[in-house]
Amino acid sequence: MADKKQLPGHIAIIMDGNGRWAKSRKLPRVSGHAMGAKRVTEIVQAASDLGVKALSLYAFSTENWSRPQQEISALMKLLVFYLQRQVKKLTKNKIRFVASGNIAGLPETARQVILNTIEKTENNRGMIFNLCVNYGGRQEIVDACRRIAEQVVTGQKQIGDIDEAVVTGSLYYPELAEVDLLIRTSGEERISNFLLWQIAYAELYFSPVFWPDFTKIDLLAAIADYQERERRFGGI
Ligand code: FPP
């Protein structure tokens, strides 16, 4: 059982296996995503109840646009439906919702509901729930480079001023710069362009469970595993 005193401050999850979950039940892929959305509700609640400070979930990558249009539309609809239904509950639990990624590049309805949820929850001071949508880790670093370059061009910064803290400060959410525990479900063991800067010292946990089957018990098992590890951050 997880020890509440040594919780990972920031947990990031690559929610994988929705399609295979559906296929193994002879259901359309979209059913896997729908069940996956229910798990999002459960895991957000569980992490917040435990006292985790930040939870990042990978909902849609910059590479996911290559999926069939019908699947993309279904994912966007699920996202809209989820946020519309959950916004009150997020506030009740003092959860602050933020979104990482190219939100301006999303379909209008999805963009609006995301911005609306960010605004409605911005004063909440409990867990930060960071939904990564139209997100790519390399793109986030490119965006940070552009911001820094602009400051150099306008004379606000010198090249010599650029260090890790400056790059961190130019990320989408600098307060989410350190991931403690990265979980990927479905047995795949890849990073897939997720939070590349932020996972520098993260502990990695790969679960064989498909995301639509990933419950609070599985989250607790991942946290318990994390708590057994000795984190040295490059020291001895
Ligand atoms: C990976 O499974 C999952 C995704 C690409 C999307 C994740 C989306 C959800 C969990 C639901 C919608 C989100 C919210 C916040 C309501 P996959 O389709 O790549 O699975 P496969 O590898 O088995 O095919």
Side-chain angles (χ1 to χ4, degrees):
M1 187 50 76
D3 173 358
K4 280 206 168 193
K5 281 188 237 96
Q6 288 179 53
L7 281 176
H10 182 186
I11 300 178
I13 309 182
I14 303 175
M15 308 181 287
D16 197 8
N18 294 354
R20 278 163 286 158
W21 180 91
K23 195 174 175 198
S24 69
R25 285 165 175 75
K26 299 196 166 44
L27 293 168
R29 289 178 58 81
V30 171
S31 316
H33 296 315
M35 192 61 197
K38 289 193 180 159
R39 291 302 179 205
V40 170
T41 310
E42 177 179 340
I43 295 302
V44 168
Q45 181 74 53
S48 163
D49 289 349
L50 276 167
V52 169
K53 289 202 168 59
L55 176 70
S56 291
L57 299 183
Y58 207 178
F60 196 89
S61 74
T62 45
E63 289 76 35
N64 285 150
W65 296 109
S66 63
R67 293 189 176 211
Q69 188 52 46
Q70 190 203 9
E71 185 172 339
I72 296 174
S73 303
L75 279 167
M76 293 299 152
K77 276 195 191 132
L78 275 171
L79 182 71
V80 169
F81 184 67
Y82 167 84
L83 288 177
Q84 285 172 338
R85 278 194 53 151
Q86 294 299 315
V87 64
K88 279 202 182 119
K89 200 169 152 200
L90 292 176
T91 291
K92 189 168 156 265
N93 288 301
K94 301 188 172 55
I95 296 170
R96 177 177 157 220
F97 175 82
V98 299
S100 291
N102 178 8
I103 305 307
L106 291 173
E108 180 64 14
T109 329
R111 191 169 69 85
Q112 281 305 332
V113 77
I114 286 174
L115 296 178
N116 188 39
T117 312
I118 292 174
E119 197 185 309
K120 281 195 170 145
T121 64
E122 71 185 347
N123 295 320
N124 296 344
R125 289 292 170 263
M127 185 179 83
I128 301 178
F129 169 24
N130 174 34
L131 194 63
C132 300
V133 195
N134 199 9
Y135 175 86
R138 287 182 177 174
Q139 188 59 49
E140 179 172 14
I141 295 169
V142 169
D143 288 345
C145 292
R146 287 196 176 147
R147 260 180 238 171
I148 297 165
E150 264 169 33
Q151 293 172 332
V152 172
V153 168
T154 56
Q156 289 165 270
K157 268 198 180 65
Q158 304 295 308
I159 288 181
D161 296 336
I162 303 171
D163 57 12
E164 290 190 14
V166 168
V167 177
T168 293
S170 304
L171 297 174
Y172 297 146
Y173 292 98
E175 67 269 49
L176 301 178
E178 218 58 69
V179 168
D180 298 297
L181 171 62
L182 173 73
I183 300 171
R184 183 171 189 145
T185 62
S186 89
E188 302 294 332
E189 301 189 355
R190 285 188 297 279
I191 301 300
S192 298
N193 201 14
F194 192 40
L195 301 174
L196 296 178
W197 180 272
Q198 296 87 336
I199 61 167
Y201 290 101
E203 293 293 330
L204 310 181
Y205 181 87
F206 299 107
S207 164
V209 177
F210 291 147
W211 176 252
D213 284 331
F214 193 86
T215 64
K216 182 182 172 174
I217 306 288
D218 297 298
L219 178 69
L220 289 172
I223 294 174
D225 190 272
Y226 164 90
Q227 289 174 336
E228 306 243 303
R229 303 186 193 184
E230 193 192 344
R231 300 183 80 200
R232 293 202 295 265
F233 299 96
I236 52 168

